[in-house]
Amino acid sequence: MEIMNRLLHLLILTFGLAWSIKVGPVRLASMEEYITYSGGPSEKKSVIECPVALDGAETLKEVSWVFSDGGHPIGRYFWNKKSQGKAEGRLKDVVRLDRQDGAIELTELRYNLSGFYSCSATTDEGDSDEAAPWEVLIIDFNDKSPTAGLYAKGECGFESSFKISAFYPQPTLHSGLYSESLGGFFEEVASIDWYKQGFENGSYSYSHQNVLFKIKEDTPHDVYFLSSVGVSKKDGTYIPLFSVKSYIQIFEEQGCHPVKLDAYQKAEYSNGGARNCRKEIRQPASGQLKAVVSCMDGYEPAGDSDYESMELTCNTKIWEWGVLQ
């Protein structure tokens, strides 16, 4: 019985220790995904939190931070409830030291303060827990809107140009024909067509010029031209920042596919058979698109059929041929 009581007591202690303190995950106090460089430091925008949850009996004693480049520590910050905080390495002179919660408040924003922040916390009772490193990005880009343009090139082609000014960190860009039905890009500007320029402070500018695209038979009808700019974290997480959508008339042009014919049949179209870029029968400038289906010259309807020809109309709501009632 005594052994059972000891085991039960140990189980209670173990359970209590497991839930006495929980730390993390690391996050920005603003609940945003990154810090904006141009906004400058502030209590709302440049505070990195180490969330700590305690049970009712515990009290927080200290919080310790490690700032790394993904490999080696390059800065540290120590907070104790009885003394002022202390910052070392790259965090020295850029962290507010008189906060009462153990969070890192950056009082200066620099590109080289982007990186991985991890924290651990200890209670007065000696219990501790730690949070895994979390990548904090400080993003800076020119307030001027990117320049984007589409220019017709021949009957079914167009050229795209796009440019963004200096941007930190190196951005992730996509530019091309985007289809909602496909859930992604149908065709993109190739990496070889992007011109990248790096600067001494680690920022980059990107552009492409006069990249040719064509609307073809397999181009989805819901495409538009999309240029999107974002950043990618080391773990592959993509943070979208802004995008530019562009349209030109040939994206939307739609018609009915050529009438499916049996052997020895022919179709004559009211528009003379002109086709659009997707090889569909193009809508006439005025009136309805019609097709008259009949036997080819030298052939007659089989059997007792009185059929000589049939007139079909292109239904522009569903883009299919039908007999007009």
Side-chain angles (χ1 to χ4, degrees):
M1 186 68 175
E2 183 178 354
I3 294 176
M4 289 297 294
N5 287 337
R6 288 181 179 177
L7 289 174
L8 180 60
H9 180 66
L10 178 61
L11 179 62
I12 293 173
L13 286 176
T14 302
F15 182 81
L17 287 173
W19 292 96
S20 61
I21 180 173
K22 285 186 176 181
V23 176
V26 174
R27 67 189 181 193
L28 294 177
S30 63
M31 303 306 291
E32 296 181 355
E33 295 181 280
Y34 60 93
I35 296 174
T36 303
Y37 181 86
S38 60
S42 72
E43 291 188 35
K44 293 183 178 180
K45 298 294 186 179
S46 60
V47 175
I48 308 167
E49 292 184 328
C50 180
V52 178
L54 303 171
D55 68 16
E58 299 269 351
T59 54
L60 184 61
K61 178 182 179 182
E62 58 188 20
V63 176
S64 177
W65 286 89
V66 175
F67 170 46
S68 76
D69 58 5
H72 304 289
I74 51 179
R76 296 182 185 273
Y77 175 66
F78 306 94
W79 174 87
N80 187 293
K81 69 176 182 178
K82 294 182 179 181
S83 62
Q84 186 169 262
K86 180 182 178 182
E88 298 177 351
R90 196 173 291 178
L91 295 179
K92 187 176 182 180
D93 299 327
V94 296
V95 176
R96 179 180 168 185
L97 303 179
D98 61 351
R99 287 186 67 95
Q100 301 300 307
D101 56 2
I104 287 182
E105 180 180 333
L106 297 174
T107 57
E108 183 178 339
L109 296 184
R110 303 174 183 167
Y111 290 177
N112 65 3
L113 294 177
S114 289
F116 293 85
Y117 289 78
S118 60
C119 65
S120 60
T122 303
T123 67
D124 283 317
E125 293 73 19
D127 299 322
S128 63
D129 192 22
E130 61 182 333
W134 185 67
E135 187 176 7
V136 175
L137 293 178
I138 297 176
I139 297 177
D140 184 24
F141 54 90
N142 197 303
D143 290 335
K144 294 181 180 179
S145 299
T147 57
L150 299 181
Y151 315 95
K153 187 72 173 180
E155 184 178 0
C156 295
F158 64 94
E159 291 180 336
S160 166
S161 295
F162 182 78
K163 180 180 180 180
I164 60 168
S165 300
F167 193 107
Y168 180 87
Q170 184 171 340
T172 298
L173 298 99
H174 297 278
S175 194
L177 288 170
Y178 190 91
S179 166
E180 298 286 354
S181 60
L182 295 179
F185 285 91
F186 171 73
E187 185 178 357
E188 282 192 68
V189 173
S191 57
I192 195 173
D193 291 320
W194 283 102
Y195 172 72
K196 177 178 70 173
Q197 182 178 4
F199 301 96
E200 290 184 4
N201 64 357
S203 62
Y204 294 84
S205 67
Y206 275 82
S207 65
H208 68 257
Q209 189 74 23
N210 299 330
V211 178
L212 180 64
F213 288 83
K214 284 192 173 183
I215 300 300
K216 297 169 288 189
E217 191 170 356
D218 60 344
T219 303
H221 286 98
D222 64 344
V223 295
Y224 53 85
F225 202 85
L226 176 67
S227 294
S228 62
V229 181
V231 292
S232 297
K233 288 191 169 185
K234 296 288 178 59
D235 64 1
T237 301
Y238 175 72
I239 301 176
L241 297 175
F242 57 86
S243 61
V244 180
K245 294 181 180 180
S246 303
Y247 298 86
I248 55 177
Q249 185 178 358
I250 59 174
F251 291 173
E252 302 173 351
E253 188 176 14
Q254 194 164 346
C256 276
H257 288 285
V259 177
K260 293 182 179 179
L261 301 172
D262 292 331
Y264 311 116
Q265 287 183 329
K266 65 179 181 179
E268 296 180 352
Y269 300 99
S270 59
N271 72 343
R275 301 195 183 195
N276 61 23
C277 299
R278 294 181 174 89
K279 306 303 181 184
E280 302 158 337
I281 306 300
R282 175 174 282 152
Q283 287 289 110
S286 61
Q288 294 177 308
L289 175 60
K290 296 183 179 182
V292 176
V293 179
S294 61
C295 292
M296 295 176 64
D297 295 342
Y299 293 88
E300 296 181 356
D304 299 328
S305 175
D306 295 329
Y307 167 83
E308 290 186 2
S309 66
M310 177 179 291
E311 184 178 85
L312 304 175
T313 301
C314 177
N315 186 330
T316 57
K317 292 183 179 180
I318 59 175
W319 299 104
E320 292 183 1
W321 296 99
V323 178
L324 190 63
Q325 301 294 327

